[in-house]
Amino acid sequence: MTTDTAPAWAVVFEQVPRAGFIPDTIWVDDPDGPGFTAVSRRTDPSAWEAAVAANAPVITQINLGEPATENGEDFPSSSSSQPSIVADMLDALDPRPGERVLEIGTGTGWNAALLAHRVGPSGQVTTIEVDPALAETARQALTAAGVAAEAVTGDGAAGWPAGAPFDRIIATASVREIVPPAWLAQLRPGGRLVTPWGTDYGNGALLTLDLDADGIASGRFSGNLAFMRLRSHQRSLFGWEPDDDTVAAAEVAATDVRGKDLDMMLNPEKGRFAIGARLPNVALVVEWDAHGPGRHVLELDDLITRSYARLDADVTDPAPFTVRQLGPRRLWDEALAAYDWWHEHAKPGPDRLGLAITDDAQTLFLDTPETVVRTWP
Ligand SMILES: C[S@@+](CC[C@H](N)C(=O)[O-])C[C@H]1O[C@@H](n2cnc3c(N)ncnc32)[C@H](O)[C@@H]1O
């Protein structure tokens, strides 16, 4: 396998091959248009094998198990994650022989098998999957591979109280802003939780939390991850959109933001994570080259207050970009304030942010817990 697998896991990856857990039908980007096309191990074994051997995610289910659509409006609903990211997450989790581990998001069962290999026969891995068909396929793959992990079906947002307490908990589906309190309640003091964490504006990052003896969990973010969401943490980015007449009647202004600012606001390697973390409940949709090369459309919306902003940015034209805003919140102004904050704080990436969780609140901080960026609830 062509990965930069974290060294501690390289041997485990060799002993628990991914191919044993990937179903015969996988999904790849349709070369002829939007959406996905199926690749079958039986009819196109070389394409299947190349996809499974690559250091890339393999999509194993689309549309929650429903058939591909005619119009290409398909979405991936389960995958085997990119192996180098799997290794980074396992490295962050750092499970030890003999430990009890809970995984949320069984998918193919491969990650559970890697975990089971590491904790050994004196440990225990429980993995929970919300989709009953996926859970059943994973159970069969685990049995076929002779792996003793317990694969259960249910909503992993509630953890798995029957198996608690756990020494380690790993989610392989992302949370949106709030770490489910049930996970921390099922972690033993001194235990560790690893989960992808994201907002509807930003991409995600990996969050590694350690629980102390007083019941306070704290830790830092790292990396830049785009992960599938836990089902209950998903939000349709197209859940509400004002019609053209409403947008036409919105407040119109010019903005002095230029293309280079847009890059910093939208680039996951730059400001996107921190800016998203500053913007409660704001989803971002960007349509690059929507009206031709360099003519982008950026939309921000908040479904709760029904606020909306739209930026028409023509980076080929020196004229200022146009912003339309409507609803009780001025979302573009808020995004600009967050962008200014990011500059004022020396452009922090995810690794300068952390999260501290008590029984009452989840607090996002910059550099040290004293510098609060945002608090939930
Ligand atoms: C990226 S895949 C996980 C990959 C998996 N760990 C593997 O090794 O193949 C994310 C999985 O999380 C599952 N999922 C989403 N929401 C969930 C929930 N609330 N509880 C349990 N599983 C969930 C999805 O159905 C999907 O199979």
Side-chain angles (χ1 to χ4, degrees):
M1 183 173 297
T2 51
T3 77
D4 294 326
T5 307
W9 286 92
V11 176
V12 183
F13 274 55
E14 270 168 29
Q15 291 172 350
V16 185
R18 186 193 206 190
F21 292 86
I22 305 294
D24 286 350
T25 300
I26 60 174
W27 299 87
V28 298
D29 284 338
D30 189 339
D32 300 323
F36 298 99
T37 187
V39 168
S40 160
R41 183 182 206 168
R42 294 202 181 91
T43 56
D44 195 351
S46 54
W48 187 94
E49 277 158 23
V52 173
N55 183 27
V58 174
I59 297 170
T60 51
Q61 186 196 63
I62 59 166
N63 306 339
L64 301 174
E66 296 298 321
T69 59
E70 295 286 319
N71 56 10
E73 284 186 1
D74 303 316
F75 59 93
S77 47
S78 190
S79 64
S80 165
S81 307
Q82 180 174 320
S84 57
I85 290 177
V86 172
D88 288 346
M89 291 175 70
L90 291 170
D91 218 30
L93 188 70
D94 194 22
R96 310 289 169 90
E99 287 190 333
R100 298 172 61 77
V101 181
L102 174 65
E103 181 197 34
I104 292 121
T106 309
T108 62
W110 182 47
N111 194 54
L114 295 165
L115 286 165
H117 192 281
R118 170 54 55 89
V119 301
S122 58
Q124 166 69 41
V125 173
T126 305
T127 178
I128 181 164
E129 170 58 55
V130 72
D131 183 308
L134 293 174
E136 181 51 31
T137 313
R139 266 191 288 272
Q140 289 171 12
L142 288 162
T143 303
V147 177
E150 178 190 31
V152 298
T153 308
D155 181 359
W160 186 248
F166 297 99
D167 299 296
R168 316 266 160 177
I169 298 180
I170 181 168
T172 57
S174 174
V175 303
R176 174 160 55 97
E177 301 193 358
I178 308 252
V179 177
W183 294 356
L184 295 165
Q186 292 168 33
L187 198 59
R188 71 157 171 79
R192 177 170 285 185
L193 167 68
V194 168
T195 183
W197 186 103
T199 65
D200 283 337
Y201 179 98
N203 236 13
L206 190 65
L207 174 63
T208 302
L209 290 172
D210 289 315
L211 186 65
D212 73 13
D214 298 326
I216 297 173
S218 63
R220 320 285 303 194
F221 294 95
S222 60
N224 158 35
L225 301 177
F227 246 79
M228 280 175 199
R229 289 279 163 84
L230 282 174
R231 288 226 183 141
S232 52
H233 287 228
Q234 288 164 1
R235 171 174 115 146
S236 168
L237 295 181
F238 307 100
W240 168 74
E241 217 176 325
D243 59 32
D244 290 346
D245 290 345
T246 312
V247 177
E251 180 185 292
V252 184
T255 175
D256 56 7
V257 155
R258 301 305 310 157
K260 65 177 170 35
D261 301 305
L262 271 190
D263 176 51
M264 285 190 264
M265 293 174 82
L266 302 179
N267 190 329
E269 305 288 341
K270 297 179 182 164
R272 191 159 176 166
F273 183 78
I275 292 170
R278 294 279 295 175
L279 292 175
N281 257 314
V282 177
L284 165 72
V285 179
V286 185
E287 206 183 331
W288 300 107
D289 302 323
H291 301 303
R295 299 176 65 195
H296 316 307
V297 174
L298 183 156
E299 292 174 293
L300 298 168
D301 75 60
D302 165 19
L303 299 184
I304 295 172
T305 63
R306 302 232 153 172
S307 303
Y308 174 88
R310 171 187 166 123
L311 175 79
D312 285 280
D314 183 349
V315 299
T316 65
D317 184 344
F321 303 156
T322 304
V323 181
R324 292 182 167 77
Q325 302 192 80
L326 61 92
R329 289 176 71 184
R330 289 290 174 264
L331 297 179
W332 178 251
D333 300 350
E334 289 187 35
L336 276 189
Y339 179 49
D340 289 344
W341 173 90
W342 181 70
H343 269 285
E344 281 156 20
H345 292 83
K347 305 180 187 172
D351 55 339
R352 282 184 56 203
L353 293 158
L355 196 73
I357 304 181
T358 62
D359 283 346
D360 304 326
Q362 305 202 2
T363 304
L364 187 83
F365 60 83
L366 177 70
D367 297 327
T368 61
E370 293 72 40
T371 314
V372 174
V373 174
R374 212 174 132 200
T375 300
W376 295 263

